Amino acid sequence: MLTIIANASVLDHQGNLEKKHILLQDGVIKSLVDAQVKLSDIQDGASDIIDAEGKLITPGFIDMHVHLREPGFEHKETIESGSRSAAKGGFTTIACMPNTRPVTDHPDVIKLILEKANQAGIVKVLPYAAITKNELGRELTDFAALKEAGAIGFTDDGVGVQNAQMMKDAMKIAAGLQMPVIAHCEDDSLVVGACVAEGEFAKKHGLKGIPNESEAIHVGRDILLAEATGVHYHVCHVSTEQSVRLIRQAKSIGIHVTAEVCPHHLVLSEEDIPGLDANWKMNPPLRSKRDVEACIEGLLDGTLDIIVTDHAPHSAEEKAKGMELAPFGIVGFETAFPLLYTKFVETGLWDLSFLVQRMTADPAKVFGLNSGLLEAGRPADLTMIDLDAEKSVDPEQFLSKGHNTPFAGWNLKGWPVKTWVDGKLVWSE
């Protein structure tokens, strides 16, 4: 079956916009044809022709850090609802974290997630497996069996692995299997009872703060362990100046380390938190402006490789418990691109191609995925974006079960309007 997306604006290899007809067949991109070619010359056999005049077509976004909550927390999100939310946000591939119940520490849980994702049939769901059983940091999981079941990497995201020997052993095994270790970096001894960053907001409201060094200590430790073991070490949701500095130095001497950053750590600091609203509570927390600037600089110079959402839905009742008692996390699928486009591209700080690359080709490269590029032979995972569309963020319109966002009411431009996965239209506004 041949589908033609006609008159689409696409980014060329130099980041310039050019107009193309995109031909999709059997789940892959068949070809890109100059839009000056008449449709009548290429449409023979086409079952569907979609006019993309005035719209940008990019490779589907790839989010390598999400929480789908199933199994165990279906009141927050399910694999299906999370997948629909991802598709609405323009994502075609998402990688889900293992802090479910049961924890994704057994091949049967990996198989369950893949089966649920297949039943939903919306976006591609790639499961991570836990490093330690129940994410308790006491006993390693069976890495080989988890890889065989379909895990794409190992992480105890949600908590840090506290024991250095445990982490080193994990890295050795993962390196032998040619699999990455993805680390939530947090020293528990420094964060007991803390709910926001250590800074002026914490002082003002009498809250215990999470210090920068709680993250950076683990980043530094794990970089040394990665050097010793040769594993691909990937740092989750970098949020501090110190972490950026350590990762930059590690890369400069050839250690195989990659890293990610979240939109909220690029556009918000602790100074933006309006009060004790737990929709502004996430982990890592919103930090100082200096940390925000360091993360932006790190993303621009390649120290931080990719953008992820850390999509973390919670119920309204859970978030209503207040800043100290509510769980950490905010949703991110449905605001990520328009947020970054509005704040960085519309203002002239970033090129459009840079933003797209950090959300498509770069995550594919870091994790060895056969997607993220708009070229013949690649999977027909595509996102159509209306760069002129402007509207305010309305959490009631989210397809995610979670409405926990600090961006409610923000006026943003550049909204995804259609998403294809393997040539199948999975979201259309």
Side-chain angles (χ1 to χ4, degrees):
M1 187 174 75
L2 178 66
T3 297
I4 299 175
I5 303 174
N7 303 305
S9 293
V10 303
L11 290 159
D12 66 13
H13 294 302
Q14 285 74 45
N16 301 311
L17 288 172
E18 56 184 4
K19 192 171 282 189
K20 296 283 187 181
H21 303 314
I22 306 171
L23 281 64
L24 315 180
Q25 191 166 42
D26 299 329
V28 301
I29 300 169
K30 180 182 179 184
S31 61
L32 284 80
V33 178
D34 192 292
Q36 291 186 356
V37 174
K38 293 181 180 178
L39 279 174
S40 57
D41 292 339
I42 60 172
Q43 68 183 24
D44 186 35
S47 60
D48 197 12
I49 299 176
I50 299 163
D51 186 12
E53 183 69 42
K55 306 295 191 299
L56 176 70
I57 297 287
T58 70
F61 301 149
I62 298 170
D63 191 345
M64 297 305 295
H65 188 143
V66 314
H67 298 269
L68 296 180
R69 304 304 194 197
E70 187 177 12
F73 302 105
E74 287 82 355
H75 66 287
K76 299 173 189 273
E77 194 79 289
T78 64
I79 290 170
E80 180 176 3
S81 66
S83 295
R84 290 195 186 284
S85 175
K88 185 179 179 183
F91 293 92
T92 55
T93 298
I94 57 177
C96 57
M97 290 297 175
N99 56 341
T100 49
R101 291 294 180 274
V103 168
T104 311
D105 61 1
H106 190 280
D108 288 347
V109 186
I110 295 285
K111 292 173 184 175
L112 173 68
I113 291 169
L114 292 172
E115 182 181 338
K116 291 273 186 179
N118 187 53
Q119 289 172 355
I122 302 169
V123 300
K124 296 171 181 174
V125 176
L126 309 177
Y128 289 116
I131 293 173
T132 64
K133 292 183 179 179
N134 283 318
E135 291 195 328
L136 293 175
R138 297 170 185 162
E139 183 180 359
L140 292 177
T141 56
D142 186 340
F143 283 19
L146 289 161
K147 178 183 179 182
E148 177 68 23
I152 63 155
F154 305 104
T155 177
D156 273 3
D157 186 62
V159 293
V161 175
Q162 302 302 306
N163 184 294
Q165 186 63 56
M166 183 75 68
M167 191 58 147
K168 186 174 183 180
D169 292 344
M171 287 183 174
K172 280 183 181 176
I173 298 171
L177 294 169
Q178 297 184 311
M179 294 279 276
V181 166
I182 298 93
H184 172 115
C185 292
E186 186 171 37
D187 187 307
D188 286 352
S189 67
L190 294 169
V191 300
V192 176
C195 59
V196 295
E198 187 177 75
E200 293 303 315
F201 182 86
K203 288 179 184 175
K204 178 180 178 181
H205 294 279
L207 301 170
K208 183 173 180 181
I210 301 172
N212 280 22
E213 54 270 26
S214 65
E215 175 181 295
I217 282 174
H218 269 209
V219 173
R221 179 201 73 177
D222 290 351
I223 284 171
L224 294 172
L225 296 177
E227 182 181 27
T229 60
V231 76
H232 172 199
Y233 169 60
H234 181 80
V235 188
C236 288
H237 39 51
V238 173
S239 68
T240 74
E241 176 191 15
Q242 294 88 341
S243 298
V244 173
R245 186 169 69 235
L246 289 165
I247 294 164
R248 183 178 289 123
Q249 182 183 35
K251 286 190 169 190
S252 73
I253 57 175
I255 299 173
H256 191 184
V257 55
T258 57
E260 63 190 39
V261 65
C262 302
H264 46 275
H265 290 131
L266 296 170
V267 302
L268 296 174
S269 74
E270 62 161 349
E271 295 181 20
D272 298 307
I273 305 174
L276 298 174
D277 178 355
N279 285 318
W280 296 72
K281 179 182 180 181
M282 65 285 287
N283 191 17
L286 299 177
R287 300 194 188 266
S288 69
K289 281 189 174 180
R290 184 168 173 168
D291 293 303
V292 173
E293 290 167 2
C295 287
I296 293 171
E297 183 181 350
L299 188 68
L300 286 170
D301 71 13
T303 300
L304 308 182
D305 302 84
I306 65 175
I307 296 168
V308 302
T309 68
D310 194 9
H311 177 81
H314 294 291
S315 70
E317 293 76 15
E318 289 166 325
K319 277 298 191 180
K321 293 179 179 177
M323 195 64 94
E324 290 187 273
L325 297 178
F328 291 99
I330 62 171
V331 294
F333 286 143
E334 297 172 55
T335 55
F337 184 85
L339 180 66
L340 295 173
Y341 178 77
T342 302
K343 294 298 178 183
F344 293 106
V345 180
E346 274 283 286
T347 55
L349 296 173
W350 295 356
D351 292 335
L352 174 61
S353 60
F354 173 79
L355 172 58
V356 170
Q357 181 176 328
R358 287 288 192 258
M359 297 179 70
T360 58
D362 287 342
K365 182 180 178 182
V366 166
F367 286 92
L369 307 179
N370 182 33
S371 55
L373 294 172
L374 195 59
E375 60 185 28
R378 298 285 181 176
D381 297 348
L382 305 171
T383 300
M384 178 189 287
I385 304 163
D386 186 344
L387 294 177
D388 296 321
E390 186 170 357
K391 61 183 179 181
S392 63
V393 176
D394 180 1
E396 295 303 316
Q397 300 301 313
F398 288 172
L399 295 185
S400 170
K401 287 188 176 184
H403 296 172
N404 46 309
T405 176
F407 302 115
W410 284 39
N411 201 48
L412 303 177
K413 286 186 71 175
W415 292 85
V417 292
K418 293 184 189 297
T419 305
W420 290 264
V421 173
D422 288 334
K424 174 187 172 185
L425 186 64
V426 296
W427 161 254
S428 181
E429 190 171 78

